[in-house]
Amino acid sequence: MVAIKFALLGCGRIGVLHARNLAKTDGARLETVFDLNTTAAEAVARAHGCGVSASAEDAIGRADAVLIATSTATHADLIELAAKAGKAILCEKPIDLGVERVRACRKAIEGCNVPIQIGFNRRFDPGHRAARDACAAGKIGKLEQVIITSRDPGLPPRGYTAVSGGIFRDMTIHDFDVARFMLNDEPTEVFATGSALVDPTIGSEFGDFDSVMIVMRTADGKLCHINNSRRAAFGYDQRIELFGSEGMVISDNKKAYELKHYGSTTTEAAEPYLNFFIERYAEAYEAEIAAFIAAVRDATPTQATFDDGYRALMLAEAAVESARTGKKVEVRNIA
Amino acid sequence: MVAIKFALLGCGRIGVLHARNLAKTDGARLETVFDLNTTAAEAVARAHGCGVSASAEDAIGRADAVLIATSTATHADLIELAAKAGKAILCEKPIDLGVERVRACRKAIEGCNVPIQIGFNRRFDPGHRAARDACAAGKIGKLEQVIITSRDPGLPPRGYTAVSGGIFRDMTIHDFDVARFMLNDEPTEVFATGSALVDPTIGSEFGDFDSVMIVMRTADGKLCHINNSRRAAFGYDQRIELFGSEGMVISDNKKAYELKHYGSTTTEAAEPYLNFFIERYAEAYEAEIAAFIAAVRDATPTQATFDDGYRALMLAEAAVESARTGKKVEVRNIA
Amino acid sequence: MVAIKFALLGCGRIGVLHARNLAKTDGARLETVFDLNTTAAEAVARAHGCGVSASAEDAIGRADAVLIATSTATHADLIELAAKAGKAILCEKPIDLGVERVRACRKAIEGCNVPIQIGFNRRFDPGHRAARDACAAGKIGKLEQVIITSRDPGLPPRGYTAVSGGIFRDMTIHDFDVARFMLNDEPTEVFATGSALVDPTIGSEFGDFDSVMIVMRTADGKLCHINNSRRAAFGYDQRIELFGSEGMVISDNKKAYELKHYGSTTTEAAEPYLNFFIERYAEAYEAEIAAFIAAVRDATPTQATFDDGYRALMLAEAAVESARTGKKVEVRNIA
Amino acid sequence: MVAIKFALLGCGRIGVLHARNLAKTDGARLETVFDLNTTAAEAVARAHGCGVSASAEDAIGRADAVLIATSTATHADLIELAAKAGKAILCEKPIDLGVERVRACRKAIEGCNVPIQIGFNRRFDPGHRAARDACAAGKIGKLEQVIITSRDPGLPPRGYTAVSGGIFRDMTIHDFDVARFMLNDEPTEVFATGSALVDPTIGSEFGDFDSVMIVMRTADGKLCHINNSRRAAFGYDQRIELFGSEGMVISDNKKAYELKHYGSTTTEAAEPYLNFFIERYAEAYEAEIAAFIAAVRDATPTQATFDDGYRALMLAEAAVESARTGKKVEVRNIA
């Protein structure tokens, strides 16, 4: 079997990770990389023995598949570019921070018929996936409630907050996608509220939150709760609970190893949780690329589509509006 | 020390439990019992060697303290009767299903100056209390989020649903109280939604829910989520999570014993959880009575006051309104 | 049903516990108590409204059943006295520290035909029993290995060590009994070794150990390991593992409540374990008395017989010899 | 930095694993492979783009370091060959099944002064190492007891049993090494016993055991227990407990992910454990090679020396003798 040639656009932290994963994935070959920061691009090229492209266009031209790991604002443009060039696309989330741009992008690539996968890595985490599989296999009966706890270990840099698009579009977007993935259904109503507790200036300066709680409901009454915090003292807190008519499954936090300490004041004390997404979702990132390669090779649908990216963003928009108005928002009414 | 003489009003399941706990609590003596069902009253009297009263009035007259464990509709009347007779009162929750009646009761007993404790047993659970104590001791820094999972093992009898006052006033009332206890603060905003998933006729016939999710917020931004279900296949699901700036504590479910099974398809498998409140909160019920006796004896405030009962009900009212309107409700605007 | 009248001999810590358990057990009545320390006897009598006897003989005479909770050296004499008086007997372990005395006692009471139960409380612990039941029910296939971890929270008083009979006869005796109970078979070979690590003077002054490891084997090859320490910094460490051809069950340590703490250096940290046997085996002590009462009432065999007491002691003797000789000892060769 | 060139001898299951790990380890390059089975050698060469050697001598000649992953009987010969050629050596355990051959090998390579590391992979497991580090850092006070549970998921092929050298030399050898690593001291006394419970013909035909228990003691009294079974229904059971004067650490089993299931008959049920060593010790195998490379590069001692290999075998010999004689064996008396 001929390996799929990849162009990697963006050689920041997540780009470097993807490059390394491509290197150990059968069926893939990193052909070329592009980054405005040529030092970063060259470092990746050196590490993996691939070429460096002078432009995104050039990189796209040399490859079968394009992995977009640039900054968010460029995602939609690069998707359009790659799609029109007929290349398969694996693009980091989100497609864009604005619904309008996402819609325009969707229109622009209509008819291109290239495989597109959005980087919702958590869908590929073995534990989360096993939870969904257990549910699909009927092991908890009919699904009734989903509880998603998702807390980052620490605040992002201040500069990031300013351009993040707000916590719902930037951070909760992952959880909105996980919610849809776990519910296997569309939330139709969204309520959201939040506070700036970790750093009050996130509220006073950016009008944003760092701590939020969301409740969603599907048309048939399934309920979903998401809670987020930008800071968890004990590591990256990533738990998913699926509650059904005949039982429950929980995909729990992961530790680097299973050491427990017993002393005069505490027992069964474990290490802090894996910190951060690079470590916690290491297997998910590997599986994500493998799944993309399989979809391209076998011409099957990707497991995190453009439409999934759009719908997660719609839920984020609904959350923004709900937090502003204090009312639950019907998702279909989102402009 | 002279033992406090108790009159027990109501000899149903919870009354029988209280009688047994009184029997093993130092400083208390069950003097007399009353129940319209005289067979039930006589059984308790026989088991514990106390008298049987022909009326609530008679029972109250013979005692120093009155334990009200009758049906909800009679609580407020009996509180008034006992308060006017100058007796200490331990009354099962809720005071009444209607805010108006609670307010009238409050007015009626103004100036009676008797100790009153409402039967919010969960406040006295050793694990829940240790969670609160850890928070108060600064072990998780500043409290930011409270997550309460509270699911009954199974649906109550159909007849009960009809007169329960709805899930928020009947079941969530406990969680509203626990939320206030854990937040050590007043929620000012309440959002609630729900579904009838366990038994759709609970929706179609009673206009009630059996599965609900709530989000509350305090004036200073602390967030609280409650989820309820009337049925959990794996037992009585009672978990409380306190998340703060420097850590988290979880008061987790309890099992009858710590047996784990390891086989070819599963490992670390434990037994179903204690089922139901009588078993799960056995220690809490004992501690509740001991705390009441200590408060009466030492003339200190009770740890679950009439006002606590009122405020939990106000949150339930807010939840009812929120679920109806789809808006978050300001608690102070509740009529 | 008429309650069985008990005479309690010995009003020390364990006697007080038994008195309290008798008080809450249906079918039993504490009739009289005896202790050389009359103050102790009177305190128990006052607490439970029973008589005080001037002698063990008198106490035995007034009762249907005798609960022997005196010091070890008196056990055999009191068993003989009570048996000859035709009374049912519940005697704390061990029967005696010497095999000869136990044999003489057995001979002396031959033909008395009274129910006798030895105070091997751990047999009645719900978790340990559930482990054995799971094994008996085939849930781990054929039993192959038993691992018993049994560590006290702290060293006994120095005076106690001097008269304890050594760690094997005093402390491991419980584990030898648990081993037989779990194996449902007789160990035929015993190897034992030990050290004085907690307090070296226990070795140098008493020729005893405070840390021991034992391996036993049954005729059909089942293997059993016991480890003991006189001191565990984290509480009373009581774990039993049954390993079989199709799986494993572990009866694990118990905590007062299920609180877990998550902080910047540890996660999932629980409280120290219940400390000490009064707390850890509270339910076992209750169940032990209930089982004795049921056996007396129904004329069924007790669940921890005189023979069980004898055989546990034989294993202790074998361990003593093995630790001395460095050889595994055939149990049947024990004098 | 120039990468160290490796010759891989042996392309069976463990050789393939090592080849893959070499490929992703910085500072190493797989130069050539040799296997009598040329198909196997060619497959590895193809996968990793390295040469194939026609003989071990040729392979050794082309490399800086030799990774010996051939069958046990060839280990000592290849160590001698590589040492005399002045190459660094990473050799799978055991050095040989016979003490005499190991001693002869030691003599033969005296003065060669090449780095030698024996493949005791478990020393490099992050959890086991964290346990040892916690102990070294004083987090459990003074070490007193070590308990090693080590059970394979299933019986090896029948042919393997015949040539394995017996369970102590073949399987327990790992645990003897782990014991020494954890004790940070030499066991001076060994008692061992065993049974053939999984497959009685292992006893009747091979005079071997499939289930064993061992107790060891160091000169200063530390105690160590090892239990082994050739078959655990629930996966590869690998637990290490270090018990000290001020606490305990346990390095527990690992699961592929942290999914727990809650149903009507069990709660908190997890998946079977990782199965087998390739999966369970994946990180250990990677760390083992990285440590070897660091030792070679920095001219520091390896972390699992030839002497470690010899001493583990001496403990196995002692166990064999103890199981035969029923006596504890002084390790220094082993011929």
Side-chain angles (χ1 to χ4, degrees), chain C residues 144 151 195 221 231 241 326, chain D residues 144 151 195 221 231 241 326 328:
Chain C
E144 294 175 354
R151 296 163 180 153
S195 303
R231 177 262 301 113
E241 172 178 326
Chain D
E144 294 175 355
R151 296 164 181 152
S195 303
R231 178 261 301 113
E241 171 178 327
K328 75 178 176 192

Side-chain angles (χ1 to χ4, degrees), chain D residues 65-76:
Chain D
V66 181
L67 203 165
I68 304 173
T70 50
S71 59
T72 297
T74 66
H75 287 182

